[in-house]
Amino acid sequence: MLSSLSAWVLSIAGIIVLCVLVELIMPSGQMNKYIKGILSFMVIFVIVMPIPKLLNLKIDFNDFLNYGNVEVDKDYIYQLNLNKMLSLKEDIEGACLTKGYDNVVVSLDADVLSTNFHITKAVVDLTGLVITSNAVHSNILDIKKDIAMIIKKILSLEEEDIYFDE
């Protein structure tokens, strides 16, 4: 009992020393009052912490937090995956433009409602392809191979999952 009482007193002294140090370091301003509020909450928490033990109460904090009924927000997952797809599409089209292939249109296929986002297919539309002066290849087969390598590098797709429209 005496050791737990001394540990409690040391905890209170430690949190007060921490508060004083933070008070000295923090500049005055808007953020200062929020930090003081958090530190005040921590002091109260340290002071009140041994009360359930003294009263022989068994408190399970998981009952208060109740993690059992967590649901995934489908709209958030959908928007997040849609943003990922758009970013990957822009990366591929930008890499093609850097290689000298302009007007390459990439369409990606994935389950945007899944929490495990994975691109399953890429379709590349080359009907409006413009080959610029900094392009290495002028042969359509070599261009397709070059674009397929870009897609494989960015998406980690297999070659059989990359389709071309001409």
Side-chain angles (χ1 to χ4, degrees):
M1 180 73 178
L2 190 59
S3 65
S4 61
L5 182 65
S6 64
W8 179 57
V9 170
L10 279 174
S11 298
I12 293 172
I15 196 74
I16 290 174
V17 167
L18 179 69
C19 290
V20 169
L21 287 174
V22 169
E23 182 80 28
L24 290 173
I25 294 172
M26 283 298 298
S28 61
Q30 191 74 356
M31 194 65 151
N32 196 359
K33 69 178 181 179
Y34 296 114
I35 301 282
K36 283 183 181 178
I38 292 169
L39 290 174
S40 300
F41 179 74
M42 288 173 52
V43 168
I44 291 171
F45 185 73
V46 167
I47 291 172
V48 174
M49 193 68 168
I51 291 176
K53 192 173 187 180
L54 291 173
L55 299 175
N56 291 328
L57 296 175
K58 302 284 185 200
I59 297 177
D60 187 12
F61 289 105
N62 290 330
D63 293 338
F64 296 111
L65 300 175
N66 195 8
Y67 291 121
N69 298 330
V70 176
E71 289 185 27
V72 176
D73 185 3
K74 295 284 186 190
D75 292 334
Y76 176 74
I77 296 296
Y78 171 76
Q79 193 61 47
L80 181 71
N81 289 341
L82 209 58
N83 289 345
K84 283 182 190 176
M85 273 184 39
L86 181 63
S87 176
L88 290 169
K89 175 186 179 322
E90 289 172 354
D91 289 347
I92 293 168
E93 291 174 354
C96 289
L97 185 61
T98 303
K99 289 277 193 164
Y101 313 126
D102 198 6
N103 291 338
V104 174
V105 179
V106 178
S107 301
L108 301 176
D109 190 23
D111 183 12
V112 291
L113 296 176
S114 172
T115 55
N116 187 13
F117 180 73
H118 176 68
I119 302 288
T120 57
K121 179 173 79 170
V123 179
V124 182
D125 184 8
L126 298 177
T127 55
L129 175 66
V130 175
I131 302 170
T132 61
S133 60
N134 61 339
V136 177
H137 304 292
S138 60
N139 181 357
I140 192 69
L141 293 176
D142 293 334
I143 292 172
K144 285 182 180 180
K145 285 181 186 175
D146 205 14
I147 292 174
M149 289 302 294
I150 291 169
I151 292 173
K152 285 169 56 175
K153 183 178 176 184
I154 292 175
L155 298 179
S156 301
L157 277 180
E158 298 298 322
E159 202 155 327
E160 58 265 8
D161 297 327
I162 302 169
Y163 302 93
F164 290 94
D165 289 339
E166 295 179 51

